[in-house]
Amino acid sequence: MQATNDGIWDWNLKTNAIYFSSQWKSMLDYSDNEMNSLDEWFYRIHPGDVERIKMEMLNHLSELNSKFESEYRILCKGKTYRWMLSRGIIIRDTSGEAYRIVGTQSDITNRKVTEEQLLHDALHDALTGLPNRVLFMDRLSHAISLAKRRRNYLFAVLFFDLDRFKLINDSLGHSVGDQLLIAIARRLEKYLRVGDTVARLGGDEFTILLEDIKDENVATNIANRLQEELTRSFNLSGNEVFTSASIGITLSSFNYERPEDLLRDADIAMYRAKATGKARYEVFNTTMHTRAAALLQLETDLRRGLERREFQLYYQPIVSLKTSAITGFEALIRWQHPQRGLVSPAEFIPVAEETGLIVPIGWWVLREACRQLSAWKIQFPEYQSLVMSINLSAKQFTQTNLVEEITEILRETNVPAQSLKLEITESVIMDNAEIATTMLFQLQSLGIQLSIDDFGTGYSSLAYLYRFPTHTLKIDRSFINKIDIDSEQFEIVRTIVTLAANLGMDVVAEGVETLKHLAQLKALNCGSGQGYLFSKPVDSQMAAKLLQEQNIVVDTIPI
């Protein structure tokens, strides 16, 4: 007994007397003359462990277990609980009757603290201390089980995603971004009811489980309150930061079987809120799921379409308004789906942008358009000055190998750099004007022409516009539609044409559809036009025919 670090105990079942060794007592900070009875031992065991340790002792006495073993908390003299592991075994007389139980006691407090910390870490987010996905899904499973057992039990899940978190990270650094996530976690906890669960799933995504609610209004009211709370500024390391969140809400009334499905639908509703303006909430409905499934199928078909070469290019002529001669074409992608037929770019381009497929699709468009331009220059030697305009997506524009890839495509197709015009929207350039300027100058140094597409629809700085090495401003069709009947639209177009002339740039008007449009643009000295009045987008064979005729026949078919 003196040699071991464990405490020893010996319980006489006949007299109910118990012996505790000095080491056993010292573990609990008691002296040798204290703690001498069985009642004192059980009195100090944690109330939550008493019944369990009695059952484990009874099971051994009943020979259900060959040994007694129990982990329990016991109150020390200093009024704190420590975890103990107690082991024992029955001693029987010659007739087999139990008359003693002897055993040991080990202090396992440190082990228990470590286990609890490991368990906490496994179920909680390290940054915010909130429950993580594992714990949230466990509680969500429990809520689903309750809803099945109780007819009127209703709960809701709110899926949060911050609207401007990447911008904050990029501008102020990840340390400030982490501070923001912690501050948001504390605010979310503050405004929730007792029993609700708020969790961080990762990144800037949070979820909230609202249990036992009366109706949908409870969830939407809480979403509104949290939105208002997030509009208040955060002071982070001396920086005043503002943010907002898009929230998706789904209710248990859809009779979910799996927590994954419920979280998926809340996520779908959140993306719907983000797509329709951000800083708002949307309540899930089955139409959203149908749409999400269709988008997923569209993404799958896009990937297959790229592999199977289901895409083709159409070409819309760009015409000199002074000579009516074709000066170039804009390459426009079309998708010939094997089941759905021709799919509109307005439907599949946003999906391609979101999934990143726009990058390989964009390189295919660039290579195919340059190959076609090279073929036309051989077929029509008189059109050596023909220019091919190609849209460059935001994701393509940010590729680090952009200049090298374009240079290689021009070399492969034997197209002069000055015969290629890349069209880039204002927003792509203005999102990071300094980097964009550097990239544009690199492209210009190759001899490539540059055009700002949809000019006037986005935000641009005239100071930056002056610095950009761009050759062309392309007036968006929305300004051309009513140029003949709306004086404000007419003045906007006049301003753009004058601005371009002062900056030494060309102007192309999109969406020229009527003779009145044409007359107004000519009166404003607009250089070039593009639209159904001249020709709709056509395949390569029809485009070659237009070149062969060397003029444009005005298409009078109403649009």
Side-chain angles (χ1 to χ4, degrees):
M1 284 191 293
Q2 291 175 353
T4 182
N5 288 325
D6 291 340
I8 305 296
W9 55 274
D10 187 343
W11 179 13
N12 189 321
L13 298 177
K14 299 291 187 180
T15 64
N16 218 27
I18 194 164
Y19 163 78
F20 299 116
S21 69
S22 297
Q23 180 63 18
W24 192 100
K25 295 179 180 181
S26 67
M27 285 180 179
L28 306 175
D29 302 325
Y30 292 108
S31 61
D32 276 348
N33 62 351
E34 295 178 293
M35 283 283 289
N36 293 310
S37 71
L38 188 66
D39 288 340
E40 288 181 288
W41 180 20
F42 275 94
Y43 178 75
R44 286 167 175 80
I45 293 175
H46 190 283
D49 299 336
V50 171
E51 292 304 319
R52 177 170 47 78
I53 195 172
K54 285 182 177 179
M55 181 60 66
E56 288 163 344
M57 184 72 75
L58 182 61
N59 287 341
H60 179 49
L61 289 170
S62 305
E63 298 187 54
L64 294 176
N65 296 329
S66 59
K67 293 181 180 179
F68 163 72
E69 184 170 321
S70 183
E71 295 180 356
Y72 61 93
R73 290 158 290 179
I74 189 167
L75 189 65
C76 299
K77 192 173 183 179
K79 302 300 180 183
T80 60
Y81 281 97
R82 297 187 67 80
W83 275 97
M84 298 292 169
L85 168 61
S86 189
R87 293 188 177 100
I89 190 169
I90 293 173
I91 305 296
R92 299 183 184 276
D93 58 22
T94 54
S95 64
E97 185 178 358
Y99 70 95
R100 287 171 61 200
I101 300 179
V102 295
T104 62
Q105 177 170 276
S106 305
D107 190 332
I108 60 170
T109 303
N110 291 339
R111 193 197 83 193
K112 277 292 186 179
V113 169
T114 301
E115 287 177 355
E116 289 174 4
Q117 186 61 50
L118 289 172
L119 180 60
H120 180 276
D121 292 347
L123 298 176
H124 291 80
D125 173 52
L127 178 66
T128 63
L130 295 176
N132 61 13
R133 179 184 290 270
V134 175
L135 181 53
F136 185 81
M137 297 301 274
D138 180 70
R139 292 183 180 175
L140 192 51
S141 296
H142 182 258
I144 291 174
S145 298
L146 277 178
K148 289 180 178 179
R149 294 197 302 268
R150 294 166 51 185
R151 178 178 299 178
N152 296 324
Y153 184 82
L154 182 68
F155 66 89
V157 168
L158 278 62
F159 197 115
F160 274 70
D161 184 90
L162 300 185
D163 294 324
R164 300 170 59 250
F165 186 64
K166 185 178 186 302
L167 177 61
I168 294 169
N169 258 348
D170 291 346
S171 57
L172 299 177
H174 288 271
S175 175
V176 173
D178 287 348
Q179 291 177 46
L180 176 61
L181 293 174
I182 294 169
I184 287 174
R186 301 292 81 82
R187 287 194 186 181
L188 293 180
E189 289 176 320
K190 179 181 175 182
Y191 280 85
L192 291 183
R193 309 169 310 162
V194 175
D196 293 335
T197 301
V198 56
R200 180 185 176 216
L201 298 192
D204 59 335
E205 292 181 339
F206 295 84
T207 50
I208 295 175
L209 172 60
L210 303 174
E211 296 203 56
D212 200 11
I213 61 176
K214 181 180 178 181
D215 53 34
E216 178 184 313
N217 290 334
V218 176
T220 56
N221 288 338
I222 288 176
N224 279 323
R225 283 169 46 202
L226 293 175
Q227 289 280 20
E228 291 174 7
E229 179 62 24
L230 290 180
T231 60
R232 296 195 300 110
S233 65
F234 295 84
N235 194 305
L236 309 171
S237 298
N239 300 289
E240 190 176 24
V241 175
F242 293 87
T243 189
S244 61
S246 298
I247 306 175
I249 303 173
T250 191
L251 301 166
S252 60
S253 52
F254 285 99
N255 297 320
Y256 290 97
E257 294 290 332
R258 303 188 310 162
E260 295 86 356
D261 296 339
L262 201 149
L263 195 63
R264 174 204 64 203
D265 290 349
D267 190 21
I268 290 172
M270 182 275 293
Y271 272 104
R272 177 64 180 167
K274 194 174 285 288
T276 52
K278 302 180 180 179
R280 60 193 307 276
Y281 70 80
E282 283 282 351
V283 180
F284 175 80
N285 58 55
T286 52
T287 303
M288 291 182 188
H289 182 265
T290 303
R291 182 175 179 274
L295 287 175
L296 181 61
Q297 184 61 52
L298 186 63
E299 178 188 346
T300 302
D301 290 351
L302 263 179
R303 295 183 186 278
R304 290 176 179 166
L306 196 57
E307 296 170 359
R308 299 171 182 174
R309 301 187 178 185
E310 295 170 359
F311 296 100
Q312 55 185 295
L313 289 185
Y314 275 52
Y315 303 90
Q316 188 169 34
I318 297 171
V319 178
S320 168
L321 299 188
K322 293 180 180 179
T323 66
S324 295
I326 298 174
T327 59
F329 287 91
E330 181 180 358
L332 301 166
I333 191 170
R334 297 292 185 265
W335 181 16
Q336 189 64 44
H337 193 281
Q339 281 81 43
R340 300 176 57 191
L342 207 61
V343 181
S344 168
E347 184 177 352
F348 71 83
I349 290 297
V351 177
E353 287 274 7
E354 184 178 344
T355 59
L357 287 172
I358 195 67
V359 174
I361 289 174
W363 292 135
W364 177 85
V365 169
L366 189 62
R367 182 172 280 104
E368 180 63 20
C370 286
R371 187 198 62 76
Q372 183 61 70
L373 180 61
S374 179
W376 282 337
K377 284 179 180 285
I378 295 172
Q379 185 179 358
F380 305 105
E382 67 274 25
Y383 275 103
Q384 293 306 306
S385 61
L386 196 68
V387 173
M388 183 67 74
S389 294
I390 300 171
N391 291 286
L392 203 62
S393 72
K395 282 190 168 60
Q396 271 184 291
F397 191 67
T398 57
Q399 296 295 301
T400 56
N401 65 335
L402 176 69
V403 175
E404 293 81 1
E405 189 75 21
I406 293 175
T407 302
E408 178 60 22
I409 289 174
L410 292 175
R411 188 196 62 78
E412 285 179 15
T413 57
N414 197 31
V415 168
Q418 60 270 24
S419 296
L420 175 63
K421 182 180 287 188
L422 297 177
E423 297 188 359
I424 307 161
T425 61
E426 288 176 275
S427 58
V428 170
I429 298 174
M430 294 307 301
D431 281 347
N432 200 326
E434 294 293 342
I435 294 176
T437 303
T438 301
M439 184 69 76
L440 291 174
F441 272 107
Q442 289 179 1
L443 294 170
Q444 185 201 44
S445 67
L446 298 177
I448 295 170
Q449 298 187 54
L450 301 165
S451 172
I452 298 182
D453 194 18
D454 300 335
F455 186 75
T457 59
Y459 165 78
S460 61
S461 164
L462 293 181
Y464 273 112
L465 181 62
Y466 178 77
R467 291 168 52 189
F468 291 146
T470 47
H471 304 84
T472 304
L473 293 183
K474 208 165 188 185
I475 306 175
D476 186 70
R477 67 180 64 249
S478 61
F479 297 113
I480 306 300
N481 283 343
K482 298 180 180 180
I483 191 175
D484 55 331
I485 59 174
D486 189 328
S487 59
E488 289 185 2
Q489 301 284 48
F490 180 84
E491 289 303 324
I492 290 173
V493 175
R494 183 205 296 274
T495 301
I496 295 174
V497 171
T498 303
L499 175 65
N502 291 337
L503 294 176
M505 297 181 186
D506 298 328
V507 176
V508 176
E510 291 185 296
V512 183
E513 298 180 353
T514 69
L515 291 172
K516 288 184 178 180
H517 291 167
L518 180 60
Q520 295 279 34
L521 291 169
K522 282 185 175 182
L524 293 174
N525 292 318
C526 180
S528 301
Q530 175 182 349
Y532 275 45
L533 179 67
F534 308 118
S535 172
K536 63 183 180 181
V538 294
D539 61 25
S540 58
Q541 291 181 341
M542 187 60 192
K545 185 178 180 182
L546 291 174
L547 288 173
Q548 190 172 20
E549 293 172 353
Q550 297 192 15
N551 60 25
I552 282 290
V553 177
V554 173
D555 187 355
T556 57
I557 298 175
I559 307 306

